[in-house]
């Protein structure tokens, strides 16, 4: 029950920013920052976000990293994508894998 309460408080305070970033050699990445303004030591339940991935990523793998650490690798067969991320005010970087 405690996890549910934490999740609900995070969800109602959540603010998401999504930004497309052009890298060197024209590689595009997506930066997602999920913030809730709450104490991250106590409020650390992942929140599910829905977003449209770039069209040319469809069907190919992309990496999810934060602070240079690889967290996950995903593949979606449609533009619609879904990730569960902790609202820890640190940007997540999504980048296509070769």
């Amino acid at each position: 029950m405690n996890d549910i309460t934490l999740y609900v408080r995070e969800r109602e305070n959540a603010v998401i920013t999504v930004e497309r970033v052009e890298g060197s050699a024209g590689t595009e990445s997506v930066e997602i920052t999920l913030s809730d303004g709450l104490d991250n030591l106590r409020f650390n339940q992942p929140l599910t976000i829905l977003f449209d991935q770039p069209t040319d990523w469809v069907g190919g793998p992309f990496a999810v990293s934060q602070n240079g650490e690889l967290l996950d690798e995903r593949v979606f067969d449609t533009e619609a994508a879904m990730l569960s991320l902790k609202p820890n005010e640190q940007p997540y970087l999504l980048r296509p894998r070769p």
Side-chain angles (χ1 to χ4, degrees), residues 27-59:
T27 303
E28 182 181 40
S29 58
V30 175
E31 188 175 278
I32 298 174
T33 304
L34 191 56
S35 303
D36 61 10
L38 301 170
D39 178 11
N40 290 331
L41 293 176
R42 183 170 181 205
F43 295 90
N44 61 0
Q45 300 297 311
L47 301 178
T48 302
I49 62 164
L50 305 173
F51 65 98
D52 289 333
Q53 65 178 325
T55 305
D56 56 335
W57 293 15
V58 174

Side-chain angles (χ1 to χ4, degrees), residues 2 5-6 9 11-12 15 26 32-33 40 48 51-52 55-57 65 69 71 73 78 80-81 95-96 98:
N2 190 38
T5 302
L6 295 175
R9 294 238 359 241
R11 190 74 181 183
E12 71 185 7
V15 175
I32 298 174
T33 304
N40 290 331
T48 302
F51 65 98
D52 289 333
T55 305
D56 56 335
W57 293 15
S65 60
E69 179 183 342
L71 302 176
E73 191 169 290
T78 64
R95 186 176 330 179

Side-chain angles (χ1 to χ4, degrees), residues 64-92:
V64 180
S65 60
Q66 187 176 56
N67 298 322
E69 179 183 342
L70 179 64
L71 302 176
D72 198 3
E73 191 169 290
R74 302 308 278 303
V75 176
F76 294 98
D77 292 328
T78 64
E79 280 187 42
M82 175 177 59
L83 293 173
S84 292
L85 305 172
K86 291 184 180 182
N88 59 12
E89 292 75 37
Q90 298 294 314
Y92 292 90

